Amino acid sequence: MPAERIDGVAIAARVRATVAADAAALKAARGVTPGLTVVLVGDDPASAVYVASKEKACKEAGMNGETIRLAASTPEAELLAVIDRLNADATVHGILVQMPVPKHIDAQKVIRRIDPRKDVDGFHPVNAGKVLIGDADGFAPCTPAGVQVMLVESGVDTAGKEAVILGRSTIVGKPMAALLIQSGKGADCTVTICHSRTKDLKAHTRRADILIAAIGKPEMVTADMVKPGAVVIDVGINRVDDPTAKKGYRIVGDVQYDTVREVASKITPVPGGVGPMTIAMLLANTVRAARLSVGA
Ligand code: NDP
């Protein structure tokens, strides 16, 4: 029997509805409208699309969503000054600098300049540390946080399960592992992280009860790499040429969906899986930042 499809669009819609209700409640109780400011440096078209969808999502949830657009030539010091201003602005609860930034700007310096209490992307080392030690005050990066919500919402019992994560980036693989090794709901896993230097990848993936692919390699995970009955979460977003498609390309994940779904028990599609969760979790983090800012 083919795997059950985990519907990221539907789960994200539920998260966004909860966020909208929380935002309305905070406004009613404390007169505070949660606000996210996104800073976009340069004119990368993909980044412009992401930023526009974040602003739109904020507004749909009854939150303030503002974008500050800076020229690609903006000096690093000027960007840092913008962050300082936003850090000091009580109406801004979440700050996100859209990555990548132009090469003359040190991304790590930028991330470290954001007040950790407004770092709703969860990239500041303070938040990375809090997520690792299981401090509930921290902000987890939105993509792995979204994966964890998907596991819970689709009824996956994670306790005691072997979770194998493909990819060790600081935005997906590592924080994903940090979330799954905590004790509690959607966690309590035994975690393995694999990367490009891992020997015999298949031996690891075949052990996984929960397999999370975040490697950025189109359809690299094939059915023979998956344990029958495993839950497969595909974080990958890859563009592949497709002359039959209107745009000349299509988007695929890191997992070969059509074959793996014959082996897995549950699987996320691409698109329509993890992707929509990322923005939903960004909104959730922003509302939480707003609540924390007024001690609510
Ligand atoms: P990175 O390129 O930062 O990291 C990729 C990781 O995969 C690295 O750790 C790399 O290992 C590992 N890797 C690469 N090739 C192999 C291989 N053949 N075998 C095992 N491991 C391998 O990517 P990101 O974490 O930023 O993103 C991963 C994917 O997820 C991308 O497709 C990206 O577009 C997508 N993504 C999707 C999001 C969403 O909202 N759905 C959000 C963020 C990312 P090493 O460290 O050794 O180089």
Side-chain angles (χ1 to χ4, degrees):
M1 202 171 63
E4 179 192 323
R5 183 171 164 278
I6 299 177
D7 185 345
V9 176
I11 298 172
R14 291 205 290 274
V15 171
R16 284 166 70 154
T18 305
V19 166
D22 287 352
L26 190 62
K27 198 170 177 178
R30 308 294 287 263
V32 172
T33 303
L36 172 71
T37 297
V38 178
V39 184
L40 174 64
V41 189
D43 43 23
D44 176 64
S47 292
V49 171
Y50 292 142
V51 165
S53 57
K54 285 167 187 170
E55 194 177 323
K56 182 165 167 267
C58 277
K59 293 193 170 138
E60 282 170 3
M63 297 161 53
N64 290 330
E66 185 204 9
T67 304
I68 297 176
R69 291 181 172 78
L70 301 174
S73 59
T74 302
E76 182 182 275
E78 202 177 302
L79 174 59
L80 295 176
V82 169
I83 294 172
D84 289 345
R85 179 170 63 71
L86 296 172
N87 281 340
D89 185 340
T91 66
V92 174
H93 306 102
I95 303 169
L96 183 158
V97 178
Q98 184 67 41
M99 298 291 161
V101 286
K103 287 200 172 51
H104 66 278
I105 295 175
D106 179 347
Q108 285 308 317
K109 208 168 170 181
V110 169
I111 289 167
R112 282 164 168 74
R113 193 70 160 238
I114 297 170
D115 183 333
R117 292 167 299 183
K118 298 189 178 191
D119 168 43
V120 286
D121 243 350
F123 294 165
H124 193 289
V126 166
N127 283 315
K130 284 185 173 181
V131 169
L132 188 61
I133 64 174
D135 184 328
D137 261 6
F139 292 106
C142 301
T143 301
V147 169
Q148 189 175 42
V149 169
M150 289 180 106
L151 291 171
V152 172
E153 288 290 307
S154 52
V156 176
D157 179 13
T158 54
K161 298 290 162 57
E162 292 276 345
V164 175
I165 300 164
L166 305 185
R168 58 175 164 184
S169 74
T170 50
I171 63 166
V172 189
K174 282 180 188 144
M176 188 76 252
L179 290 172
L180 294 180
I181 56 170
Q182 303 305 323
S183 55
K185 204 171 171 189
D188 281 321
C189 294
T190 302
V191 177
T192 303
I193 304 189
C194 301
H195 45 78
S196 68
R197 307 297 294 271
T198 298
K199 290 201 176 88
D200 197 358
L201 195 66
K202 191 169 155 180
H204 292 285
T205 59
R206 291 276 308 175
R207 276 193 300 105
D209 301 310
I210 300 168
L211 180 61
I212 300 171
I215 45 182
K217 297 272 183 277
E219 301 184 322
M220 204 194 90
V221 177
T222 46
D224 59 312
M225 296 169 72
V226 177
K227 176 175 162 179
V231 173
V232 179
I233 307 287
D234 190 353
V235 180
I237 301 178
N238 309 290
R239 228 183 226 207
V240 292
D241 292 338
D242 181 355
T244 66
K246 218 177 181 177
K247 293 179 176 163
Y249 67 85
R250 67 196 158 87
I251 301 293
V252 298
D254 290 342
V255 174
Q256 199 179 69
Y257 185 83
D258 287 341
T259 57
V260 171
R261 73 194 278 264
E262 299 299 329
V263 181
S265 61
K266 293 179 195 272
I267 187 167
T268 61
V270 177
V274 177
M277 292 302 295
T278 300
I279 288 191
M281 298 313 294
L282 178 67
L283 301 181
N285 276 352
T286 304
V287 169
R288 197 156 65 83
R291 265 207 317 260
L292 290 172
S293 77
V294 292

